Each structure stands twice: as structure tokens, then as C-alpha cells.
Amino acid sequence: MFKQVKELVLKDIRLNWRERYALYSMLLYVLSTSYVAYLSFNGLISDNAWVALFWIIVLFAAMNASLQSFKGELNNQALFFYTLAKPRAIILAKTLYNNGLLIILTLISYFIYSLFLGNPITANLSFILCIVLGSSALASVLTLVAAIAAKTNNSSGLMAVLSMPLLFPLLINLIHTSKLCLIEDNLFLAANQLIFLALLNIVSVLLSYLLFPYLWRD
Amino acid sequence: MQLKWWKILGVLLVLYSIIAGLLLPVPHLDILNESIRNLYFHVTMWFCMIILMLMSMVQSIRFLSSFDKMRDLKAEALASTGMFIAVLGLTTGMIWAQFTWGAFWVNDPKLNGAAVTMLIYLAYFILRNSIENEDSRARVSAIYNILAFVMMIVFIGILPRMTDSLHPGNGGNPGFGNYDLDSNMRMVFYPAVIGWILIGTWIAQLRFRIKVLEIKKENL
């Protein structure tokens, strides 16, 4: 099982590295939206708007990124993969890969975004923790939703409709936590919220682990 | 056809809650005044909706373990009835809010919870309609239904507790925190909840039977 997960993650990394244009398009997405934000706010942005805009950009980048993850798997190559690996290994590998991808992507977005729009965050350690936990929770929920959306005819349209309401609690929590990070450097202040993020992550990984085997077989 | 006892019980309890809810004395609180009676109608709707959604999720789980199509139809009927009840809960809440808070909609964790819940289940119905193959429709929507219910519980159960709410009984508001002491209100509220849950289940059962008949008619 663990060996399969490891092999599948490596396969995903190799495959996506070979088709780098998808990765570049995600970066370009973040770059251009940050620049649009910079232009429309004229560089003057209130702290609350900074936080809200940052997470909205990350949310859409994450949605785009995870939409890619089941592009081929559930259609053409599906049969081939499922003869080789257990479905649970496949979903765990996808979730892990998306976790890594989104954490890196969000950190890069944070860098690009604060380059253009400044950085009002004072509690750096808490905020980095919030980014890591938040984007990994985003990845875990979005991976399962991407798998569900891939089963339909209109996957990119449904992806937004299906995942938006599910991500609401997460998003509100992230914005709330980030606002705490604006005030002062106190890890205990944000601790409750961070624990909530971690719990949400665990719940969604557990759900995908339990439900995915029913999803893939046709 | 025989009438089941629980249907009669449901009708009697709802009738009782309407009559007693409008006539029995209620505690007089600032701001709320007589509008406190909305508790019997508005809050019961949300209780009823959550129970119906829970039943819908249970049907979805049982569908995944048995692949019995009837379970999927039951899950859909229960979810759509729950949605209907949610619309009723939202309307009664909005009318009440207009008179108590002065606006139909305010930014409040519980209202956000209600909005998100309805968006989640609307997405569920859209998902159902966008898959043509019947087998995979039943399976995929069962999976989304389970996911949706868990996320809904996370949202309306955990998140509002982390922030303050405008709702009576939360934060600095006068209100339902005190009603716990008033046994008069309890005597109407709990029967009302049970009655509406029974009525909701009955509606869902009828919807399910209509659906089954429609499918039979198509296959003739």
C-alpha cells in the first residue's frame, strides 16, 4: 500500500514535470491576478481587503490546479491504472501530490502577492503555518471534489459549483486566522483556528479514503 | 390503504403546536416581545431539515453498501424535502428578522450556515442532473451527499460557536437563553419538532412513491 502510494506520487511528479506548461500556467495565473489586483487597488489596499483578496486568489488557483489532477485518470488511462494499484492508494497519492503542489503554489503566491501589494502580516510564523495547513486542507477537499466532477460531462463548470459551498467554512476560517495574524505575533491566539484547519484536513482525507473506492468503478 | 399511526401523530402534534404556540403564554422579553413565538415555527424547521438530511445521508450510505436503486431514490426524496423545509425555515427567519433586527438579511454565522447549506444541496441536485448514466449518477451523488452532510455539520455545528451571533441566546442578546427555564415554551417546542419531523418524513415518503410510480410508468 505505502509502496504503491509512493510510486504513484513519483509518477505524478514525473508526469507533471514532463508537461511543465500546466505548472507554468498556474504560476502565470497567480502572477497576473496579483498584478490586476495591484493595478485596481493602485497599491493602496486596506489590511482586511489584502487578506480577503489573497485567499480568493489562492482559492481559484487551487481550484484550477486540482481540476487537472483527474484529467486522464478517470477516463482513458483509468482501466490501466486500476489494474495496477488499489483505488485507495490512488486517492491517497493524488491527495498527497495535490497537498504538496498547493502548499508550494500558495507559498509562491504569497511571495508574488506581497511583492506587488505589500505585506501587512506581523505574525509571520502563524501565517506561514496558516498557509501550509490551509492550502493542504484546500487540496484534500478539492481532490475528492475533482474526482467527483471528473465523472460528469461538464467537469470544469461543476468543479466551482460543487467545491465553493464545501470550502466556505474553510475559507472563512482562513480569513479569520489571517486577520489574527495581522494584529500581533502570538501563536496561541491563532492556535484554535489552526487546530480547526488540521481537523478539517483529517476529516476530508478520511472521507476521500472511505468514499473513493465507490467512485472509480463503472 | 392503511393510515400509519405516526402520520396521525405528526398531524396532531403540528396542529397542537400551531394552536398552543399562538395561544399559550410566553415570557416577555425586550426586543423579542411576542415574536418569540416564531421559535415554534422557525427553529423547528431547521431541526427538521437536519434530521431529514441525516436520513438522506444514511440512505446514501446504505446505497453504497447495497447498490439498491431504491435507496438512492429515497435519498433524493429526503434531500429535496429537506431543501423545501429549509426554504420554509429561511422565509420564516427572514420575516422575523425584518421585524426584530430591521433587515431581511444580516451577516451572521447562522445565516451564513443556512445559505451555505442550501448552496451545497442545490449543487447536489445540479450534480444529479448533469450525469446521464443512471448507475454512475446514483453512485456519484451518493458520495457527494455524504461529503455534503459532513461539511454542513462542520459549518453549522462548529464554526458559529467560534464567533458571536446575533441570534437570541447567543452573545449579548436577550432571549432564548432564558427560554430553557420556561417549561411552557418547552411543552410546545419539543412536540412541534417531533411533529414536523414526522410530517417531513411523510412528504418524503410520498415523493419517493411518486418517483417509483413514474419510473414504472416509463418502463411500461
Side-chain angles (χ1 to χ4, degrees):
Chain A
M1 182 82 177
F2 286 109
K3 207 168 153 244
Q4 276 185 358
V5 172
K6 197 182 122 208
E7 289 300 321
L8 283 165
V9 171
L10 286 178
K11 180 219 82 177
D12 269 342
I13 292 173
R14 253 182 253 123
L15 216 74
N16 282 294
W17 187 247
R18 211 177 293 154
E19 298 174 6
R20 260 160 298 191
Y21 70 92
L23 297 176
Y24 292 144
S25 81
M26 288 170 209
L27 285 181
L28 190 60
Y29 177 85
V30 171
L31 192 68
S32 45
T33 42
S34 301
Y35 196 65
V36 167
Y38 166 71
L39 286 181
S40 42
F41 279 98
N42 275 326
L44 290 171
I45 184 166
S46 76
D47 290 353
N48 281 346
W50 188 92
V51 166
L53 198 61
F54 174 69
W55 284 112
I56 289 173
I57 289 176
V58 167
L59 174 69
F60 279 94
M63 235 185 257
N64 277 335
S66 41
L67 189 59
Q68 313 269 337
S69 55
F70 284 97
K71 231 174 22 186
E73 258 81 353
L74 283 173
N75 307 316
N76 310 325
Q77 309 160 356
L79 275 178
F80 176 60
F81 277 118
Y82 295 137
T83 52
L84 290 179
K86 286 184 189 139
R88 291 205 159 125
I90 290 178
I91 190 70
L92 281 185
K94 281 285 173 202
T95 311
L96 261 179
Y97 173 76
N98 273 345
N99 264 298
L101 179 71
L102 283 191
I103 289 173
I104 293 170
L105 189 69
T106 316
L107 285 174
I108 295 174
S109 318
Y110 178 42
F111 176 72
I112 295 175
Y113 188 73
S114 39
L115 208 64
F116 285 123
L117 288 150
N119 187 356
I121 298 292
T122 44
N124 270 313
L125 180 64
S126 311
F127 192 66
I128 295 285
L129 259 176
C130 165
I131 282 184
V132 171
L133 285 172
S135 50
S136 101
L138 269 177
S140 312
V141 177
L142 280 170
T143 310
L144 183 58
V145 177
I148 291 175
K151 281 283 182 183
T152 64
N153 306 327
N154 170 23
S155 57
S156 57
L158 265 182
M159 182 77 191
V161 174
L162 294 180
S163 57
M164 236 11 155
L166 293 182
L167 291 174
F168 244 71
L170 181 58
L171 200 65
I172 289 181
N173 188 275
L174 283 172
I175 290 176
H176 192 80
T177 318
S178 315
K179 278 180 186 162
L180 287 179
C181 296
L182 289 170
I183 305 166
E184 65 178 310
D185 203 352
N186 186 348
L187 201 57
F188 290 108
L189 254 176
N192 255 337
Q193 314 279 335
L194 293 175
I195 289 170
F196 173 79
L197 288 177
L199 281 181
L200 199 65
N201 203 345
I202 292 170
V203 167
S204 46
V205 170
L206 207 68
L207 275 175
S208 4
Y209 181 79
L210 290 174
L211 295 175
F212 188 73
Y214 296 103
L215 193 64
W216 66 271
R217 55 177 138 177
D218 258 327
Chain B
M1 208 176 94
Q2 73 193 91
L3 199 57
K4 290 271 165 56
W5 61 271
W6 58 268
K7 292 174 183 169
I8 301 172
L9 183 68
V11 172
L12 287 179
L13 284 177
V14 168
L15 261 180
Y16 160 73
S17 78
I18 292 173
I19 296 168
L22 292 175
L23 292 180
L24 281 188
V26 289
H28 290 279
L29 301 170
D30 297 340
I31 306 175
L32 289 169
N33 297 325
E34 286 292 312
S35 81
I36 199 171
R37 293 181 194 277
N38 196 30
L39 173 87
Y40 305 135
F41 306 102
H42 168 66
V43 183
T44 42
M45 288 301 149
W46 296 114
F47 275 69
C48 177
M49 183 206 75
I50 290 179
I51 297 293
L52 286 176
M53 295 311 191
L54 176 69
M55 283 154 75
S56 170
M57 185 195 68
V58 170
Q59 292 296 339
S60 284
I61 292 174
R62 289 179 70 178
F63 169 78
L64 286 182
S65 61
S66 68
F67 289 108
D68 175 8
K69 270 248 185 70
M70 290 299 140
R71 300 244 175 262
D72 176 56
L73 291 179
K74 276 182 189 166
E76 193 206 4
L78 282 164
S80 58
T81 314
M83 193 71 195
F84 173 66
I85 299 282
V87 171
L88 291 183
L90 201 65
T91 338
T92 49
M94 277 167 87
I95 296 168
W96 178 82
Q98 168 67 21
F99 291 104
T100 318
W101 299 331
F104 284 115
W105 195 268
V106 292
N107 187 9
D108 179 87
K110 283 191 179 158
L111 271 81
N112 291 337
V116 166
T117 306
M118 294 179 72
L119 285 177
I120 288 178
Y121 280 96
L122 284 177
Y124 169 72
F125 295 121
I126 288 177
L127 179 69
R128 284 192 75 89
N129 288 320
S130 61
I131 304 175
E132 275 158 29
N133 181 338
E134 271 178 37
D135 291 327
S136 73
R137 180 205 296 153
R139 225 177 35 237
V140 172
S141 49
I143 288 168
Y144 189 75
N145 195 10
I146 297 168
L147 185 65
F149 186 79
V150 173
M151 288 295 166
M152 181 184 90
I153 290 301
V154 168
F155 200 99
I156 61 179
I158 298 172
L159 219 51
R161 266 157 239 253
M162 299 175 90
T163 47
D164 240 354
S165 169
L166 276 173
H167 270 77
N170 299 68
N173 271 275
F176 295 163
N178 310 338
Y179 87 84
D180 281 335
L181 303 170
D182 193 312
S183 54
N184 259 340
M185 290 198 78
R186 262 198 220 163
M187 282 202 352
V188 184
F189 180 64
Y190 293 125
V193 171
I194 296 168
W196 278 107
I197 288 171
L198 293 177
I199 293 277
T201 320
W202 190 4
I203 298 174
Q205 193 189 42
L206 290 178
R207 288 185 71 100
F208 165 69
R209 286 181 182 163
I210 293 172
K211 198 88 193 177
V212 171
L213 287 179
E214 273 173 7
I215 290 173
K216 271 189 188 158
K217 197 179 155 198
E218 273 172 29
N219 291 340
L220 272 180

